[in-house]
Amino acid sequence: MKKDITTIEDIQLLVDTFYTKAKADETIGHFFNEVIELDLEEHLPKIYRFWESILFGKANYRGNPMLKHIDLHQKSAMTVEHFDKWITLWEATTDEYFEGTKATEAKTKAKTMKELMLYKIKQSENPNFIQ
Ligand code: HEM
């Protein structure tokens, strides 16, 4: 039986593995490699803190993922297919290493974020949109 996500090291393994796959992916890789030339040394610790705050209730992530992805969409259109691929990779990576309450939560929360991001992105296309 696999273990659940319980430590910061577990989050690092999950996020690092996911980003390796996402960057190499033919559907979404360009967002990380070309649209934004992501500095992973700076970016990944932010993502660890994001998941620590979601899964372990640590209030150590400061940021606005909605606005970041609206900006990203303005640089290069983000579609439901891109988000579906992101979710497929996230779920596959989670299942590769973990199972349990937190692992399930990681997958559920990502799907909720996906829906919210798609909704906000659509809203942002309205000329009256106010951030
Ligand atoms: C098509 C799907 C997605 C793509 C291609 C994508 C790509 C990216 C990229 C390129 C950045 C860096 C933006 C920048 O620094 O300017 C970013 C930031 C981020 N993404 Fe995504 N993302 C996607 C979906 C998601 C989802 C579903 C979540 C949540 C579960 C998420 C969480 C985050 C967070 C927390 C940040 C950091 C925001 C900050 O700087 O504080 N992303 N994403």
Side-chain angles (χ1 to χ4, degrees), residues 2-122:
K2 290 172 207 156
K3 71 189 286 286
D4 203 356
I5 303 168
T6 56
T7 65
I8 179 64
E9 287 78 15
D10 292 339
I11 288 181
Q12 286 167 349
L13 174 66
L14 173 58
V15 170
D16 290 353
T17 312
F18 169 77
Y19 268 83
T20 304
K21 288 182 188 167
K23 276 172 74 69
D25 186 79
E26 58 179 19
T27 309
I28 61 169
H30 64 286
F31 286 105
F32 304 95
N33 304 318
E34 288 156 39
V35 183
I36 303 273
E37 276 181 56
L38 212 52
D39 176 354
L40 286 185
E41 266 185 48
E42 192 212 320
H43 180 73
L44 290 180
K46 244 192 292 189
I47 303 298
Y48 304 150
R49 289 196 295 274
F50 170 77
W51 284 107
E52 262 192 304
S53 72
I54 287 192
L55 297 177
F56 305 152
K58 286 201 174 185
N60 58 358
Y61 168 73
R62 299 261 176 283
N64 190 332
M66 293 302 147
L67 277 187
K68 283 273 171 174
H69 294 81
I70 289 170
D71 281 352
L72 204 54
H73 174 65
Q74 277 160 5
K75 294 190 172 91
S76 179
M78 297 181 87
T79 65
V80 69
E81 288 75 24
H82 295 133
F83 276 97
D84 284 345
K85 191 60 189 281
W86 193 107
I87 292 292
T88 301
L89 293 178
W90 180 254
E91 290 187 340
T93 313
T94 308
D95 291 342
E96 207 172 307
Y97 295 107
F98 304 105
E99 66 186 31
T101 313
K102 296 290 173 189
T104 302
E105 209 179 322
K107 293 184 281 182
T108 317
K109 288 279 162 67
K111 273 199 199 143
T112 308
M113 290 285 289
K114 168 201 135 174
E115 294 303 334
L116 201 57
M117 279 173 186
L118 278 169
Y119 175 74
K120 292 277 182 189
I121 282 172
K122 198 155 188 261

